[in-house]
Amino acid sequence: MDTKLLDILACPLCKGPLHLSADKSELICKADALAYPVRDGIPVMLEGEARTLNVDERLDK
């Protein structure tokens, strides 16, 4: 994913920053504990498509 795109994207719910996962398959919002999928290099920024982070992911373990 292009780093310039990542710089301008924000969480659609809280408008907070997003972080790219280590495997580059999700954009993570720590504030809302949601992970938005990245499919074919395109972020899917829909709340219904996001998965909830588990406790370990929320604590960066």
Side-chain angles (χ1 to χ4, degrees):
M1 169 171 276
D2 184 16
T3 55
K4 290 181 184 178
L5 177 60
L6 187 57
D7 288 342
I8 62 171
L9 285 177
C11 175
L13 297 179
C14 71
K15 310 302 184 237
L18 295 168
H19 306 282
L20 191 59
S21 65
D23 64 359
K24 300 184 180 182
S25 66
E26 296 177 315
L27 291 173
I28 297 171
C29 175
K30 291 288 186 175
D32 291 323
L34 293 174
Y36 297 94
V38 176
R39 296 186 186 128
D40 297 323
I42 301 168
V44 181
M45 306 300 293
L46 300 171
E47 182 181 3
E49 293 287 324
R51 73 173 178 86
T52 304
L53 298 178
N54 64 37
V55 174
D56 289 339
E57 290 172 316
R58 290 178 192 188
L59 299 174
D60 286 332
K61 291 186 179 180

